[in-house]
Amino acid sequence: MTTLSTRTYVKGLAKGKALFLKKGCGHSHEAPQGSPEEEMERLGKAFDRVRNDIGEAAAKAGESLREILSAHLEMLEDPMLHDGIQDKILSGGLSAPQAVKEACEELQAMFDAIDDEYLRARKDDVRDICGQLLSALTEKAGIGPSPIPQGSVLVAEEILPSDAGKVDFNRLGAIVTRLGSITSHAAIIARSYGIPVLMGIPVERINDGDLLLVNALDGTLTVNPDEKTEAEFDKLLAKEMARGAEASSQAFKTAVTRDGKTIMVYANAGSIGDVRKAIEGGADGIGLFRSEFLFMQDESLPSEEKQYEAYRDAVLICNGKPVTIRTLDIGGDKALPCLGLPREENPFLGFRAIRISLARPEIFKPQVRAILRASAHGPVRILLPMITTLDEIRHARSIISQCMNELDRENIAYDKAIPVGIMVETPAAVLMADEFSKEADFFSLGTNDLTQYILAADRGNNAISELYDHMNPAVLRAVSITAKAARESGIPVCVCGEMAADEQAVKPLLESGVDSLSVPAPVIAKTKIIISE
Ligand code: PEP
Ligand code: MG
């Protein structure tokens, strides 16, 4: 028996067998898995696989596609590409995926500099090939048997948001990782399923099939427990289940504070399944629909129609309760490969969220039109992420108006008074909250990002998890400043970051003047109880 402990966890208890997600796969920033020679071997296999895939596709393709594919095959054999990657592995000590990524970026930059339109356009072919090589190199090695045995504890170096689609969270009892933090998006997804998570665990001390006792109430993990420890844990599990059942009976009541103030408890959702779970779990509506997960499901962008159907379904499931749909919040730790965005040194400070939407109206407009069309079916609010300047909300509003005009011309129904609010998740939005409160119809405090930006502490970095603390007085002060500005302008203010689900934070948030909370579905009942105490 071994007991391991950590400070980073998403609360809960679970007992189950370890199921390993293969280490070291998944993204291009990974460290080498072996010696440079082994990385070269990995690379060789990836080239073979891509060569094969292109060959097979070309055999089935029509004439014009076949031409493009044979150009891709030629490019795949280009010595400049091979030498560039090889050099980065053998002399630079990079992993194969990282070498591919860097060599491709250099090659693309070269094509960019060429004063010939045709050759410049070949840059897209390079990007395409590099994408295929990267997929072949980083594709997940699978997570074992399918379906996953019910109640398994998934063990991994790290779970990325893009894993969400590959793992059936419904079958997991818990998640244990070495990397990540409680506000990384994988943890947020796990919490929406009510799954306990332990992060910061030395996973090399666990083997596939080990029996694990996951105690994410005190942050400990017991590997292969002795009989006595297991029996004690079983008692704890039974007690926790009884407590959960008691809380559920409160879920459908409206939460009212002791001094008589009604507090709406909304839910955060990333999918239609989440919306259904939230409403069945007593949510007063959806306070944050993270639309980016809809975008991350496919390899191409979802059409206006596909988005409309999803948003409309959410509205119909909510049956008169409000749905707050946040526009695309991609970037940071949420990648969207089909956008083909270049790698950034500081992705959380980079081209993300509203910055992308405003720069790419061909992505933003279909989304806005889809949200507007869904508003014909019930109460919807539009939420803009990562707002830092007044110009951004003005620009977004002008695009929303353009979409409204288009829908008017097309005789398509929508709510003409649809509220447009902003995420307050940057220090700039807090400091200018009085000005923003005159232009936004509501505020939603995104304390996950706000905490990292105020404390200059990466939300996904376990090494500084002690510093990343939403109860830090600086964060609490930011909440108060925002709530005060909202109150003075008469607009509502919600908290939709994970802080709203922290039992210790609920009362301080309400004392600051926050008037609603948005939490993961599994903690709705508990949050309502705390509010009423
Ligand atoms: C936040 O930053 O608090 C938030 C709710 O947005 P996300 O976690 O999706 O970045
Ligand atoms: Mg955020």
Side-chain angles (χ1 to χ4, degrees):
M1 176 171 108
T2 316
T3 299
L4 306 165
S5 62
T6 176
R7 281 193 318 269
T8 313
Y9 46 85
V10 174
K11 284 190 175 172
L13 293 175
K15 175 170 121 175
K17 293 242 168 101
L19 181 67
F20 244 83
L21 178 66
K22 296 277 186 293
K23 295 184 214 171
C25 304
H27 57 81
S28 56
H29 313 307
E30 65 172 54
Q33 288 180 10
S35 64
E37 290 68 31
E38 282 164 331
E39 290 296 311
M40 282 303 294
E41 201 181 315
R42 240 178 117 193
L43 180 73
K45 285 186 186 147
F47 265 95
D48 287 347
R49 157 104 179 265
V50 174
R51 208 173 277 125
N52 218 19
D53 287 353
I54 298 178
E56 277 179 15
K60 292 182 214 143
E63 198 178 333
S64 50
L65 179 58
R66 204 163 38 239
E67 252 175 55
I68 296 173
L69 292 173
S70 59
H72 281 191
L73 273 176
E74 244 173 66
M75 193 165 285
L76 198 61
E77 308 308 336
D78 188 325
M80 221 159 32
L81 180 67
H82 277 263
D83 294 352
I85 302 173
Q86 183 171 325
D87 188 49
K88 286 181 192 308
I89 294 176
L90 295 179
S91 312
L94 296 188
S95 68
Q98 193 152 12
V100 167
K101 190 142 202 298
E102 291 193 8
C104 287
E105 277 166 9
E106 283 172 17
L107 211 53
Q108 284 183 61
M110 266 177 55
F111 273 112
D112 252 349
I114 294 173
D115 193 20
D116 176 309
E117 208 169 316
Y118 171 76
L119 282 178
R120 248 197 336 259
R122 302 299 302 271
K123 187 180 130 187
D124 288 341
D125 296 330
V126 176
R127 195 169 58 220
D128 193 330
I129 284 176
C130 292
Q132 293 182 61
L133 282 171
L134 276 177
S135 302
L137 279 165
T138 62
E139 203 165 73
K140 298 283 178 206
I143 55 164
S146 177
I148 298 169
Q150 190 68 40
S152 299
V153 177
L154 186 66
V155 183
E157 276 293 300
E158 183 179 18
I159 310 258
L160 296 167
S162 53
D163 295 324
K166 298 175 196 139
V167 176
D168 184 356
F169 280 79
N170 286 308
R171 301 190 69 82
L172 295 182
I175 294 176
V176 173
T177 67
R178 181 203 302 281
L179 302 174
S181 74
I182 54 167
T183 49
S184 59
H185 283 90
I188 290 172
I189 295 166
R191 187 179 276 137
S192 74
Y193 283 83
I195 299 173
V197 183
L198 293 177
M199 291 164 152
I201 293 287
V203 292
E204 72 279 5
R205 300 189 54 188
I206 305 170
N207 291 311
D208 238 348
D210 280 350
L211 180 63
L212 303 179
L213 306 182
V214 178
N215 186 338
L217 298 180
D218 69 2
T220 57
L221 176 78
T222 308
V223 185
N224 295 327
D226 57 35
E227 257 177 49
K228 182 165 166 270
T229 310
E230 189 178 351
E232 277 166 11
F233 191 82
D234 285 344
K235 271 193 218 149
L236 202 61
L237 258 179
K239 230 197 259 172
E240 197 55 22
M241 275 169 74
R243 205 174 291 152
E246 195 186 318
S248 307
S249 65
Q250 303 292 311
F252 289 85
K253 296 187 179 155
T254 302
V256 181
T257 60
R258 270 215 275 172
D259 53 2
K261 191 172 174 202
T262 296
I263 305 290
M264 288 301 180
V265 180
Y266 301 120
N268 294 346
S271 66
I272 295 302
D274 283 356
V275 173
R276 195 168 288 114
K277 234 185 318 169
I279 296 303
E280 285 168 4
D284 296 318
I286 299 298
L288 170 64
F289 185 91
R290 287 185 165 97
S291 68
E292 51 277 8
F293 291 110
L294 192 68
F295 283 67
M296 289 159 82
Q297 274 169 12
D298 288 325
E299 274 164 21
S300 54
L301 294 173
S303 63
E304 175 185 325
E305 203 55 28
K306 184 167 177 199
Q307 290 186 64
Y308 161 66
E309 285 168 12
Y311 305 147
R312 176 205 58 201
D313 288 352
V315 173
L316 294 177
I317 292 166
C318 287
N319 195 20
K321 293 176 175 173
V323 183
T324 305
I325 302 174
R326 184 173 70 184
T327 61
L328 186 63
D329 184 14
I330 217 69
D333 63 342
K334 290 176 284 194
L336 193 57
C338 67
L339 288 186
L341 298 173
R343 194 166 81 85
E344 296 183 327
E345 285 300 322
N346 288 305
F348 273 111
L349 301 180
F351 192 48
R352 60 171 292 207
I354 195 71
R355 300 168 185 181
I356 297 180
S357 293
L358 296 178
R360 303 276 297 265
E362 75 281 10
I363 298 172
F364 191 45
K365 281 180 81 176
Q367 176 164 46
V368 169
R369 283 176 57 101
I371 299 173
L372 288 171
R373 288 169 61 195
S375 72
H377 301 277
V380 172
R381 310 193 306 170
I382 299 179
L383 178 56
L384 306 170
M386 272 290 287
I387 293 286
T388 49
T389 69
L390 288 161
D391 270 351
E392 285 169 340
I393 179 171
R394 289 174 191 157
H395 188 175
R397 273 194 182 278
S398 84
I399 294 178
I400 294 169
S401 296
Q402 279 172 33
C403 293
M404 287 178 164
N405 292 337
E406 282 175 23
L407 294 179
D408 283 338
R409 281 196 299 275
E410 294 161 33
N411 259 330
I412 296 176
Y414 64 91
D415 175 8
K416 291 185 195 296
I418 191 166
V420 178
I422 63 165
M423 291 286 293
V424 177
E425 54 185 343
T426 64
V430 173
L431 294 171
M432 298 295 285
D434 53 344
E435 295 296 327
F436 279 114
S437 68
K438 295 176 199 148
E439 310 216 8
D441 298 320
F442 63 94
F443 283 161
S444 195
L445 271 152
T447 48
N448 303 338
D449 277 316
L450 189 56
T451 303
Q452 79 166 341
Y453 294 136
I454 286 186
L455 299 175
D458 181 348
R459 64 190 271 183
N461 186 343
N462 197 261
I464 39 98
S465 62
E466 213 167 347
L467 181 60
Y468 179 89
D469 175 14
H470 53 230
M471 296 303 279
N472 182 296
V475 180
L476 293 172
R477 193 176 286 188
V479 171
S480 293
I481 292 170
T482 308
K484 179 166 178 279
R487 193 168 53 246
E488 286 174 0
S489 288
I491 64 167
V493 55
C494 178
V495 177
C496 65
E498 295 302 295
M499 184 178 185
D502 175 356
E503 292 165 34
Q504 310 301 321
V506 171
K507 291 278 164 157
L509 288 176
L510 299 183
E511 278 156 17
S512 296
V514 161
D515 41 38
S516 63
L517 302 175
S518 192
V519 299
V523 295
I524 289 165
K526 205 155 43 151
T527 307
K528 287 190 176 182
I529 291 173
I530 297 169
I531 292 169
S532 314
E533 274 168 0

